[in-house]
Amino acid sequence: MRRQEQPTGKTFATNAEVDFVVIGSGIAGGSVARELTAKGFDVLVLEQGRHVPPSDMEHDEIGAFISNRWTNTPEQSPQMYRKTADAKAEQRHFLQYARVVGGTTLHFTGNFWRFRPIDFNEFSQRGAVPGTAVADWPITYEELEPYYTAVEYAMGISGETPTDPREPMRSKPFPLPPLNVTGPGVLLEVGAKKLGWNSKAAPMAILSREYKGRQPCHNCGFCLAFPCEWGAKSGSNWTMIPDALRSGRCEVRSESYVHRIETDDTGRVTGVLYFDKDKKEQRQKAKAVVLSANGAETPRLLLMSTSNRFPDGLANSSGLVGKHLMFNGNVVADGLFEHAVHGHKGPVVTRITQEHYIPDPSLNFFGGGGIDMRFDVPAMIKTLSMPTDGPEWGAAWKARAREWFTHSASAYGHTTTLPVATNSVTLDPELKDAWGMPAIRTTYKEHEHDMRLFKFFQDRCKELLSAAGAKKVYASPFGDAPGSAVHLLGTARMGNDPKASVADKYHRAHDVKNLFIVDGSSFVTSGRGQPTMTIQALAFRAADHIAQFATRLEI
C-alpha cells in the first residue's frame, strides 16, 4: 500500500506580504519551512522544479542517469566550465543538482554522517594550507549536536550507537536500528576486520522499521538516483515539506523560478521576482527571505540580484559570493569476487569504516574521510561501466556482464576538498538559460593536497577490497577536476568577520538584515564526506535563531 499524497497546505496571494519566502524545497529549505511554521510563522516555499507524486516515481535507468529526470538539464540550464580563470571555458553539464520538490533528497543515497569536532576547527588544529582559505567555523560540534539529534528523530535515521572512542559525544541513540546488512556490507566488515580497522553500521536516512506512518525499506535496489515511492527514504519530500504543509501555514509553489531578490533603498529585502510555470514573471512580497537554493544556484541568484546599493551582487560587499566552491572528494575502486555478492539487493550502503577520518598528520595532506562498500547503480548502468579487460560483444560479453553484476562491489572513499578562492561560481557573460538569465560559469581545479588525499584513499579502497577477498581489483585514474559534481558547498561562507564571509554564524547575510542564507553554500570547509545531515542540522539551528530574531522584532 502506497502512502497518500502530501497535504495541500495554504495558498497566499502574490500581493500579500508573507512572513518568510524560502527559496528551495530541499533538505535545507524544507527544514527551515517546517521549523518556522511550527513556531507560528507563515512561509511560502518557491521551488524551481515540479512536485513528483508517488505515482510518478518510476524506476527508469535511462531517465535517472541519462535524461536528467529529476535534475537540472543542459537544455534548460546550460553551464560553462573551465579549470582556471585564464583557460577558455567550454560548455559542460558540470554542476548537478535536483530540480524537484524535495531537492536532491528526493533521489539521494541516504548517507547521513555527522561531522566531528575537527571538521569545525581544523585550522586551529592543523594550521593554514598555502593557496587555500582554510578557516575555523564560527560554531562548534558541541553547539550543533542538539540539532543533529533533533534531525535524526525528525527524519527517522537508522544506525547504531558507536563504540569507537574516537567518535564524538551523542545526546541520544539513533531512533531506529541499523538497516539489514547487504552483501557489500558483509565484505566491508570482513576486509576491515582483517586490516584491524574499525567498522560500523552506516547511519542512513532510510527507515529500517516503520516510522511516523512511513514504510520501511522494501529492498528494491533502485535507490541512488531514484525516488522512493514507499517513503522509506527520509527525503524532504516525505518529511519536512509534508510537516510544513500540515501546519496550515505553508504553501509550496512549485515550478517557480526565482531570478531576483528585490531590495528597497535602505537595502532591506522586500520580496522576490520569479517566473511561474508559464514563464510569466510574478512578484511575491515578503518580510524576510531565506535562500536555500544550493551551493550553485544560491550564489548565482545573489549575483543576479544587483542594484545601485549592491552593484556586485546582493550580500557581496566581501566579494566572496560564489568563491571557495567545494565538493566532497570521492574515489572508487571496484572488486570482482569469486562468490556472488548480489549487491543489487537492498540499499546502496549498510556498513562503513571511518578508520582514516583523521589520518596521521605526517602524511602531509589536509582532511580525511571514510569508506563504504556499495553497489550503487542498477543492471544496465552497472554492466555498461564494467572494466574493458574482457570480451566486448556477444555471448562472452553477456556472460562477463552477468558475473560483473552479481559478483562485484565497489569501495567508495568520501573525502575532504579544500576551499580555494579561484574555485568559483560566476555568471557567464554570454550564455543564457531557457529563461534568458545568465548561465553558471564554474572555475574548478583540485588543490594538490586534495590530490594526495585522493591517492591515499584510493589505495585504502584497493587494500580493503583485497582484504575482503576480491580476486581482481580495478581502480581508474582520477584527475584534478571531476567530470561532474554534486554536494555543492562553500560559495557563501559563514563567519564572524564581514570582510571574510558572506553570512554570520546565524546565517544572516552581513549586508542585509532580513536575508538568510541556509544551505551548503554556508560551509567554511567541506568536512570529511557526506554533508547532507550537517546541512539539515544547520537549517534546524538557523530556523531556531531566525524565529527568535523575528519574535524580538529584530528582522
Side-chain angles (χ1 to χ4, degrees):
M1 181 177 177
R2 294 189 178 188
R3 186 181 163 121
Q4 295 179 349
E5 300 293 330
Q6 67 181 21
T8 304
K10 191 172 182 177
T11 300
F12 300 104
T14 56
N15 60 358
E17 186 180 54
V18 298
D19 291 329
F20 294 95
V21 162
V22 175
I23 303 171
S25 66
I27 203 63
S31 296
V32 169
R34 176 189 190 262
E35 295 300 289
L36 289 179
T37 54
K39 299 176 192 303
F41 297 98
D42 288 338
V43 176
L44 170 62
V45 179
L46 295 175
E47 165 59 48
Q48 278 191 18
R50 62 190 177 92
H51 166 61
V52 182
S55 58
D56 197 22
M57 294 180 178
E58 83 282 354
H59 297 172
D60 175 8
E61 292 184 61
I62 293 176
F65 288 96
I66 298 174
S67 300
N68 305 105
R69 181 82 165 95
W70 321 112
T71 62
N72 58 322
T73 67
E75 293 76 24
Q76 285 188 315
S77 302
Q79 302 175 39
M80 301 297 286
Y81 167 78
R82 59 189 182 180
K83 278 190 181 181
T84 60
D86 57 355
K88 181 177 174 57
E90 61 182 31
Q91 194 164 330
R92 183 195 296 184
H93 196 56
F94 184 67
L95 303 178
Q96 295 189 345
Y97 46 89
R99 183 173 272 146
V100 288
V101 173
T104 301
T105 59
L106 177 102
H107 67 156
F108 70 156
T109 305
N111 288 301
F112 240 58
W113 303 6
R114 291 186 179 203
F115 281 4
R116 296 188 186 181
I118 194 170
D119 292 311
F120 299 92
N121 65 6
E122 192 157 8
F123 174 74
S124 294
Q125 297 292 318
R126 297 286 301 275
V129 179
T132 76
V134 172
D136 288 343
W137 291 51
I139 61 173
T140 64
Y141 172 85
E142 290 72 20
E143 187 176 350
L144 197 58
E145 197 283 333
Y147 298 101
Y148 276 133
T149 298
V151 163
E152 288 175 349
Y153 280 78
M155 298 280 279
I157 305 304
S158 302
E160 65 180 356
T161 302
T163 58
D164 187 342
R166 294 170 292 184
E167 294 214 29
M169 59 80 66
R170 300 176 54 91
S171 54
K172 284 186 180 181
F174 285 95
L176 294 174
L179 294 166
N180 294 330
V181 65
T182 58
V186 171
L187 292 173
L188 183 140
E189 289 187 330
V190 168
K193 186 175 182 179
K194 285 185 178 179
L195 294 169
W197 299 355
N198 181 275
S199 65
K200 64 178 182 179
M204 299 294 289
I206 300 176
L207 303 186
S208 60
R209 303 286 188 273
E210 184 178 342
Y211 193 75
K212 296 186 177 180
R214 292 187 291 122
Q215 298 182 44
C217 179
H218 285 219
N219 296 307
C220 71
F222 287 83
C223 205
L224 171 61
F226 297 94
C228 180
E229 64 268 40
W230 312 107
K233 281 204 292 190
S234 301
S236 179
N237 60 308
W238 281 115
T239 56
M240 301 295 100
I241 292 297
D243 282 356
L245 292 172
R246 288 189 197 99
S247 73
R249 292 182 172 275
C250 181
E251 177 188 356
V252 176
R253 205 173 288 169
S254 59
E255 298 180 84
S256 299
Y257 172 2
V258 180
H259 67 90
R260 184 177 183 82
I261 301 173
E262 293 195 304
T263 53
D264 61 19
D265 292 339
T266 68
R268 287 181 58 81
V269 166
T270 58
V272 300
L273 291 176
Y274 70 93
F275 296 114
D276 64 19
K277 64 180 180 180
D278 298 317
K279 293 189 176 180
K280 294 180 180 179
E281 189 175 69
Q282 307 287 348
R283 173 180 280 105
Q284 178 64 54
K285 297 169 65 177
K287 295 177 184 176
V289 168
V290 181
L291 182 48
S292 302
N294 73 49
E297 291 284 5
T298 284
R300 178 178 180 238
L301 181 53
L302 292 172
L303 293 171
M304 290 195 297
S305 299
T306 56
S307 65
N308 290 335
R309 189 179 184 92
F310 301 106
D312 298 319
L314 188 60
N316 195 28
S317 66
S318 64
L320 296 180
V321 168
K323 294 186 177 180
H324 306 120
L325 174 66
M326 298 174 289
F327 314 121
N328 283 128
N330 59 82
V331 292
V332 65
D334 298 306
L336 184 64
F337 292 83
E338 180 180 357
H339 301 290
V341 179
H342 292 307
H344 60 284
K345 297 181 178 181
V348 172
V349 176
T350 59
R351 294 294 189 273
I352 62 172
T353 175
Q354 294 179 315
E355 182 67 26
H356 302 97
Y357 202 87
I358 307 176
D360 188 328
S362 67
L363 294 171
N364 192 29
F365 49 68
F366 187 93
I371 300 171
D372 64 47
M373 198 86 84
R374 59 172 54 197
F375 189 101
D376 54 7
V377 294
M380 183 184 72
I381 302 299
K382 183 69 175 179
T383 52
L384 289 177
S385 60
M386 68 180 177
T388 58
D389 61 342
E392 295 287 307
W393 187 254
W397 180 87
K398 290 180 181 179
R400 192 165 69 93
R402 185 179 298 110
E403 182 188 31
W404 183 252
F405 182 67
T406 55
H407 288 60
S408 69
S410 302
Y412 197 96
H414 310 259
T415 75
T416 305
T417 65
L418 286 162
V420 177
T422 51
N423 289 341
S424 62
V425 170
T426 57
L427 303 180
D428 191 80
E430 298 177 2
L431 187 65
K432 306 294 182 184
D433 69 11
W435 293 266
M437 296 292 106
I440 287 173
R441 180 177 64 186
T442 303
T443 305
Y444 190 84
K445 182 180 179 181
E446 302 287 3
H447 190 274
E448 61 176 343
H449 274 253
D450 297 338
M451 300 295 287
R452 292 202 290 268
L453 183 63
F454 296 169
K455 175 66 166 58
F456 173 83
F457 266 86
Q458 190 174 68
D459 288 345
R460 301 291 77 71
C461 287
K462 293 189 290 185
E463 188 178 10
L464 181 62
L465 288 164
S466 295
K471 62 181 183 179
K472 287 186 179 180
V473 174
Y474 304 87
S476 300
F478 50 83
D480 56 6
S484 61
V486 297
H487 293 163
L488 315 176
L489 310 170
T491 48
R493 56 168 35 192
M494 64 164 71
N496 296 322
D497 182 358
K499 295 181 180 179
S501 57
V502 177
D504 67 16
K505 65 185 295 184
Y506 304 113
H507 297 260
R508 192 201 301 256
H510 289 301
D511 300 344
V512 186
K513 191 173 184 179
N514 61 340
L515 173 65
F516 298 86
I517 301 168
V518 186
D519 58 22
S521 64
S522 66
F523 278 37
V524 181
T525 52
S526 73
R528 286 162 163 76
Q530 298 307 316
T532 309
M533 189 185 188
T534 298
I535 291 173
Q536 189 175 13
L538 289 170
F540 269 48
R541 176 180 174 275
D544 197 3
H545 288 287
I546 292 168
Q548 293 175 38
F549 296 149
T551 301
R552 297 196 300 261
L553 303 180
E554 295 175 3
I555 296 178

